[in-house]
Amino acid sequence: MGHGAGGALTEEIVRIARAAFSSRYLDAALDSAVLPPTEGRVAFTTDSYVVRPLFFPGGDIGRIAVCGTVNDLAVVGARPRFVSCGLILEEGLSFDSLERVLASMAEAAREAGVEIVTGDTKVVEKGHGDGLYVNTAGIGSVPPGLDLSGSGIEGGDAIIVSGTLGDHAMTVMSLRESLGFESSLRSDAAPLNGLVAALLESGARVRFMRDLTRGGLAAGLHELADLLGASLEIDEDALPARSEVLALSDILGIDVLSMANEGKIVAVVASGDEERALEAMRGHRYGRDAAIVGRVVAAPSLCPRAGGAERAGPRPGADIGAARVRMRTSSGGVRIVARPSGEKLPRIC
Amino acid sequence: MGHGAGGALTEEIVRIARAAFSSRYLDAALDSAVLPPTEGRVAFTTDSYVVRPLFFPGGDIGRIAVCGTVNDLAVVGARPRFVSCGLILEEGLSFDSLERVLASMAEAAREAGVEIVTGDTKVVEKGHGDGLYVNTAGIGSVPPGLDLSGSGIEGGDAIIVSGTLGDHAMTVMSLRESLGFESSLRSDAAPLNGLVAALLESGARVRFMRDLTRGGLAAGLHELADLLGASLEIDEDALPARSEVLALSDILGIDVLSMANEGKIVAVVASGDEERALEAMRGHRYGRDAAIVGRVVAAPSLCPRAGGAERAGPRPGADIGAARVRMRTSSGGVRIVARPSGEKLPRIC
């Protein structure tokens, strides 16, 4: 417990973190990092991570903590720049585990081209945590004029998913429940700012993006439908997913649509630009399995916007009943895609 | 547990948070808040809060979560602008408690003039948390040319504390241990950006500031001494502290110097400007008990810097042995102020 109360022991943890992250801003040892001015608007986001277990094939809590925040920045069109690291350690966590997590955060930050510049450590007593919780916040710069808020979406626009669904959730669940799929499954945890940059640079008119973490594609599509007050239709046969993941999803009775990912996005691209978008995404290591999975269905509330500054349709939560997410099934029918209620996969990220 | 897995229940918590914080950036419901460009450099900081109990006289976990981050920004000279809110809820926390904490965060944000613009909620199982942990990160804008990194400090510069020491720590400890001082003690949790602005606007040459949270004044002075490779001397009789706090500090055997505050700063002000600085601080509601508590002692490594861009002396941790923090005691002697090792006051913030 002494490690959390602000003295010499805290300094030991801070020293380990500083060594792992090696940023001149951390070295300055001020209460806040003082960073160069950002160009354009500032994107700002945060997420806490409570995944259990801490380490899993394809990643660990540190990797998803950096990637998740990088991806939250990337999908609003920001160039991710700086990340913070808040640690809540449970008494008894080994220094070895802590160092592995911090090294993994540093590696993910290097891959994403972001710098971890400020941080904090708290320690809670044994039985009041679960090894380690990590919070990251991030800031990035958004180029002038770029608007990925969903305004300008029209009926017929393509819904593109960047790759196979459910890899992260099924990897963690399989490990936790000892289901025997551990050898072939890997979390997809990855920083997607490079993929997003490739997509935006392709010139395809991208209207909206979201990263598909908790609640998976189903949650992402429902948020979009809420935002627009419009209907969306996807095609079951078009959904990219690994066979092991689909098999496990059957065993556990969890719809692949609602399974969490840590390295996948959904993008809405203007009709006519979808092939260009797909090509750009497939050319990136994290977008090889990108696929068009559906379309925005025309709705009375949808119309082209001048300037793109106003949001189309009601605000989130204002008219949930009017929004619909449907799926054409493999058997030729149409079913409603349920809004994930969230009970089935706790502590997945 | 369903509340944390990204579906309808999470939306309920998010709805409560949105209602409490009422920001147009939160309403936009994007993965990141997209904020206007900042002027000047960007200050960025984070802290997690694990204080126990959640509510105490003078504040709660929400108030210190906002104030702590606001203060970390303020002491590097930033105007605090935007704050994030990451919640880790333990299964079983009442909605009432959650709403009280969020309302308190909103109230502290209003007082500080910052906006809570992005957030995240995770839920952990009963027995894997302690009601509620809160992380905040914050960003602010630092005016060009302002340098509070300690460069330029000279022997003879005044060490000023903004008010009574130890109020937060002793309030929480007294409550936790049922020591019977509850009625007269209150946490000092407060946003200090107004106080800092008043100090900077006074024209006094401020060289360095730090807010005095974990480890108290002792930790703050040791950090400064490490940063400068210089010696500091304070005067026991000059330390502002409430008599109840001093009494409790005797009972518990905890030095008032190492007790956490949530609304106090230390500032180093150029010799000759200390009265102007004191006047400015005492004119603010959170600085009425401000006092000069000591001086920087001249040391070989201290010399005036041209431009103020280089740091004076070794980096933190590089030469801890060379740094000294001394106190002239009431009895006329001199003693070393120990670096707080931190075992005595866990979960204080």
Side-chain angles (χ1 to χ4, degrees):
Chain A
M1 277 308 296
H3 286 267
L9 295 170
T10 298
E11 283 183 11
E12 171 66 9
I13 295 173
V14 170
R15 192 193 56 73
I16 293 172
R18 280 213 180 106
F21 299 152
S22 72
S23 161
R24 69 205 137 133
Y25 300 110
L26 272 173
D27 290 343
L30 299 171
D31 281 339
S32 298
V34 178
L35 309 168
T38 55
E39 288 165 46
R41 290 163 294 165
V42 178
F44 183 33
T45 190
T46 191
D47 266 312
S48 299
Y49 296 84
V50 299
V51 65
R52 198 181 39 139
L54 297 178
F55 303 93
F56 42 82
D60 56 63
I61 192 170
R63 182 166 175 83
I64 65 172
V66 171
C67 295
T69 280
V70 163
N71 295 346
D72 277 344
L73 293 171
V75 294
V76 300
R79 181 184 152 217
R81 298 288 306 280
F82 300 107
V83 170
S84 67
C85 168
L87 304 172
I88 299 178
L89 289 74
E90 186 189 29
E91 193 183 10
L93 177 74
S94 72
F95 268 89
D96 177 60
S97 293
L98 178 61
E99 287 184 326
R100 277 177 66 195
V101 169
L102 295 175
S104 173
M105 294 184 75
E107 170 57 31
R110 260 191 301 276
E111 185 185 347
V114 298
E115 214 171 328
I116 299 173
V117 294
T118 186
D120 171 62
T121 301
K122 293 293 189 306
V123 180
V124 295
E125 308 90 332
K126 209 162 178 62
H128 291 282
D130 201 358
L132 177 62
Y133 300 142
V134 180
N135 176 283
T136 51
I139 58 184
S141 51
V142 186
L146 185 61
D147 176 12
L148 298 171
S149 67
S151 61
I153 285 183
E154 295 178 39
D157 284 355
I159 300 169
I160 301 180
V161 161
S162 64
T164 55
L165 297 172
D167 296 325
H168 175 73
M170 280 303 103
T171 302
V172 173
M173 286 305 287
S174 174
L175 191 64
R176 218 191 274 171
E177 310 294 336
S178 304
L179 293 172
F181 286 73
E182 292 85 330
S183 56
S184 58
L185 287 172
R186 283 176 70 79
S187 168
D188 58 348
L192 300 180
N193 49 328
L195 174 69
V196 167
L199 172 59
L200 293 175
E201 284 161 15
S202 76
R205 288 163 295 164
V206 181
R207 306 299 199 190
F208 176 89
M209 287 186 283
R210 179 127 326 195
D211 69 333
L212 299 174
T213 54
R214 283 184 296 179
L217 180 60
L221 294 178
H222 272 281
E223 284 176 36
L224 177 59
D226 291 349
L227 203 65
L228 300 174
S231 296
L232 310 172
E233 190 169 286
I234 59 171
D235 177 357
E236 186 169 19
D237 289 334
L239 296 173
R242 293 184 204 284
S243 54
E244 310 93 293
V245 166
L246 290 173
L248 254 173
S249 127
D250 278 350
I251 291 170
L252 295 172
I254 301 173
D255 192 341
V256 70
L257 287 172
S258 65
M259 289 193 297
N261 313 273
E262 291 295 336
K264 297 290 152 40
I265 58 167
V266 64
V268 178
V269 172
S271 174
D273 289 359
E274 52 273 70
E275 290 304 327
R276 188 192 297 195
L278 265 190
E279 192 185 350
M281 293 172 83
R282 288 179 177 163
H284 191 278
R285 63 181 290 207
Y286 293 133
R288 293 208 204 298
D289 298 315
I292 299 169
V293 301
R295 296 277 168 183
V296 176
V297 179
S301 66
L302 280 184
C303 54
R305 309 266 135 189
E310 293 298 311
R311 178 166 308 105
R315 301 212 154 187
D319 194 11
I320 289 171
R324 290 281 182 284
V325 182
R326 299 188 294 260
M327 181 165 76
R328 289 199 172 273
T329 64
S330 303
S331 56
V334 175
R335 74 164 172 92
I336 301 290
V337 175
R339 184 183 300 271
S341 67
E343 291 89 351
K344 291 188 178 168
L345 294 172
R347 308 284 304 277
I348 209 75
C349 59
Chain B
M1 277 307 298
H3 287 267
L9 295 170
T10 299
E11 283 182 12
E12 172 66 10
I13 296 173
V14 170
R15 193 194 55 72
I16 293 172
R18 279 213 182 107
F21 299 152
S22 71
S23 161
R24 71 204 135 132
Y25 301 109
L26 272 173
D27 289 342
L30 298 171
D31 281 339
S32 298
V34 179
L35 309 168
T38 55
E39 288 167 46
R41 290 163 293 167
V42 178
F44 183 32
T45 191
T46 191
D47 265 313
S48 299
Y49 296 85
V50 299
V51 65
R52 198 180 38 139
L54 297 179
F55 302 94
F56 42 81
D60 56 63
I61 192 170
R63 182 166 175 82
I64 64 172
V66 171
C67 295
T69 281
V70 163
N71 296 346
D72 277 344
L73 294 171
V75 294
V76 300
R79 181 184 151 218
R81 298 288 305 281
F82 300 106
V83 171
S84 68
C85 168
L87 305 172
I88 299 178
L89 288 74
E90 186 189 29
E91 194 184 9
L93 177 75
S94 72
F95 268 89
D96 177 60
S97 293
L98 178 61
E99 287 185 325
R100 278 177 66 196
V101 169
L102 294 176
S104 173
M105 293 184 76
E107 170 58 32
R110 260 191 301 277
E111 186 185 346
V114 298
E115 213 172 328
I116 299 173
V117 294
T118 186
D120 171 61
T121 301
K122 292 292 189 307
V123 181
V124 295
E125 308 91 331
K126 211 164 177 63
H128 290 283
D130 202 359
L132 177 62
Y133 300 142
V134 180
N135 175 283
T136 51
I139 59 184
S141 52
V142 186
L146 186 61
D147 177 13
L148 298 171
S149 66
S151 61
I153 286 183
E154 295 177 39
D157 284 355
I159 300 169
I160 300 180
V161 160
S162 65
T164 54
L165 297 173
D167 296 325
H168 175 72
M170 281 303 104
T171 302
V172 173
M173 286 305 287
S174 175
L175 192 64
R176 217 190 274 170
E177 311 292 337
S178 303
L179 293 172
F181 286 74
E182 292 85 330
S183 56
S184 58
L185 287 172
R186 283 176 69 79
S187 168
D188 58 348
L192 300 181
N193 49 329
L195 174 69
V196 167
L199 173 59
L200 293 175
E201 284 160 15
S202 75
R205 288 163 296 164
V206 180
R207 305 300 199 190
F208 176 89
M209 286 188 283
R210 177 128 326 195
D211 69 332
L212 299 174
T213 54
R214 284 185 295 179
L217 181 60
L221 294 178
H222 272 281
E223 284 176 36
L224 176 59
D226 290 349
L227 203 64
L228 300 174
S231 296
L232 310 172
E233 190 170 286
I234 59 171
D235 178 357
E236 185 169 20
D237 289 335
L239 296 174
R242 293 185 205 285
S243 53
E244 310 94 293
V245 167
L246 290 174
L248 255 174
S249 127
D250 278 350
I251 291 169
L252 296 172
I254 300 174
D255 192 341
V256 71
L257 287 172
S258 65
M259 289 193 296
N261 312 274
E262 291 294 336
K264 297 292 152 43
I265 59 167
V266 64
V268 178
V269 172
S271 173
D273 288 359
E274 53 272 70
E275 289 305 326
R276 188 192 297 194
L278 264 189
E279 191 185 351
M281 293 173 82
R282 287 179 176 163
H284 191 278
R285 63 182 291 208
Y286 293 133
R288 293 208 204 297
D289 298 315
I292 299 169
V293 301
R295 296 279 169 182
V296 177
V297 179
S301 67
L302 280 184
C303 55
R305 309 265 135 189
E310 294 297 311
R311 178 166 307 106
R315 301 209 154 187
D319 194 11
I320 288 170
R324 290 281 182 284
V325 182
R326 299 189 295 259
M327 182 165 74
R328 288 198 173 275
T329 64
S330 303
S331 56
V334 175
R335 74 164 172 93
I336 301 290
V337 175
R339 184 183 300 271
S341 68
E343 291 89 352
K344 291 187 177 167
L345 294 173
R347 309 283 304 275
I348 209 74
C349 60

